[in-house]
């Protein structure tokens, strides 16, 4: 299983399955090594398909991830167990989010229609600033909270991609579409 991090920073480019990998982080580099290993096994005759998964979101996700972290914090605020302060990292990053249920349907379709040696982007095809996620969550709660940057959540060495936008080109050829997630609709 690969990652959008294999592509690196998009600088506004939408990544398709044929886009050149240029990892900007150690994580992206290790996922690209996995792709290279899968390609080696494919050449030996094993039917490998490399999925490049973008940012999954969904209920029950580990609060290490940005959207689930925000949801957990807001839930704690609603229960009176956290002050009305949302601690955030860099809100200027842009991500292509996909609901885990849409991701699962993309995996299922890839198992049925994918071809050995192929790369398949598992993404929504839309990208949102993290600040847009915060704005959407504000609409979903009655709690009034302020947003505060937390130095522990800011990546000081800037090894993370600032902007990641994908295109599910192959999935679209298979008539796959997003059924769950939209930035203008609830995340759950």
């Amino acid at each position: 299983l690969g990652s959008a991090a294999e592509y690196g920073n998009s600088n506004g480019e939408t990544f398709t399955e044929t886009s050149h990998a240029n990892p900007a982080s150690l994580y992206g580099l290790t996922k690209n090594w996995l792709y290279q290993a899968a390609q080696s096994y494919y050449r030996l005759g094993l039917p490998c398909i490399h999925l490049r998964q973008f940012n999954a979101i969904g209920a029950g996700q580990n609060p290490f991830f940005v959207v689930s972290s925000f949801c957990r914090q807001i839930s704690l605020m609603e229960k009176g167990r956290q002050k009305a302060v949302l601690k955030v990292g860099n809100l200027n990053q842009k991500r292509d989010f996909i609901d885990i249920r849409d991701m699962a349907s993309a995996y299922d379709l890839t198992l049925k229609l994918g071809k050995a040696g192929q790369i398949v982007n598992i993404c929504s095809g839309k990208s949102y600033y993290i600040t847009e996620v915060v704005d959407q969550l504000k609409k979903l709660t009655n709690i009034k909270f302020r947003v505060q940057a937390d130095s522990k959540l800011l990546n000081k060495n800037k090894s993370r991609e600032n902007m990641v936008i994908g295109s599910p080109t192959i999935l679209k050829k298979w008539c796959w579409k997003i059924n769950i997630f939209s930035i203008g609709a609830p995340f759950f």
Side-chain angles (χ1 to χ4, degrees):
L1 180 61
S3 168
E6 292 176 67
Y7 292 120
N9 194 353
S10 77
N11 295 317
E13 173 191 357
T14 298
F15 295 121
T16 68
E17 288 85 353
T18 59
S19 296
H20 178 71
N22 186 24
S25 65
L26 183 57
Y27 176 77
L29 183 62
T30 60
K31 289 297 187 173
N32 193 252
W33 289 339
L34 178 65
Y35 163 70
Q36 292 173 24
Q39 288 298 293
S40 293
Y41 284 114
Y42 164 67
R43 288 189 291 277
L44 293 172
L46 291 174
C48 298
I49 300 172
H50 190 68
L51 304 177
R52 286 200 173 135
Q53 175 178 305
F54 284 62
N55 296 82
I57 60 171
Q61 186 178 34
N62 186 318
F64 170 79
F65 297 98
V66 65
V67 175
S68 54
S69 170
F70 294 169
C71 291
R72 181 177 187 280
Q73 289 182 68
I74 292 168
S75 175
L76 291 171
M77 288 177 215
E78 290 174 341
K79 294 174 185 175
R81 294 175 39 202
Q82 178 175 322
K83 291 180 182 177
V85 177
L86 184 69
K87 294 184 179 184
V88 301
N90 183 354
L91 295 178
N92 293 320
Q93 291 186 346
K94 203 168 186 186
R95 294 287 180 266
D96 184 326
F97 294 106
I98 179 170
D99 187 279
I100 193 67
R101 295 163 289 184
D102 286 323
M103 188 171 279
S105 74
Y107 282 13
D108 182 57
L109 197 58
T110 301
L111 287 171
K112 292 174 182 168
L113 301 176
K115 293 180 175 65
Q118 192 170 42
I119 296 171
V120 179
N121 282 348
I122 310 294
C123 59
S124 70
K126 296 179 181 169
S127 193
Y128 303 97
Y129 285 103
I130 304 301
T131 190
E132 292 177 274
V133 174
V134 173
D135 292 342
Q136 181 63 27
L137 291 172
K138 282 181 177 181
K139 294 176 186 175
L140 296 172
T141 184
N142 294 325
I143 297 291
K144 301 291 183 215
F145 60 85
R146 65 184 174 86
V147 176
Q148 177 182 344
D150 184 337
S151 61
K152 291 180 235 161
L153 299 174
L154 295 170
N155 192 343
K156 291 175 179 48
N157 58 12
K158 307 238 185 229
S159 64
R160 292 286 314 260
E161 301 77 18
N162 288 326
M163 184 180 294
V164 179
I165 307 165
S167 174
T169 308
I170 292 172
L171 289 172
K172 285 182 179 179
K173 287 180 184 174
W174 298 336
C175 298
W176 175 86
K177 62 180 180 166
I178 294 291
N179 289 310
I180 307 295
F181 177 75
S182 167
I183 196 72
F187 292 107
F188 321 103

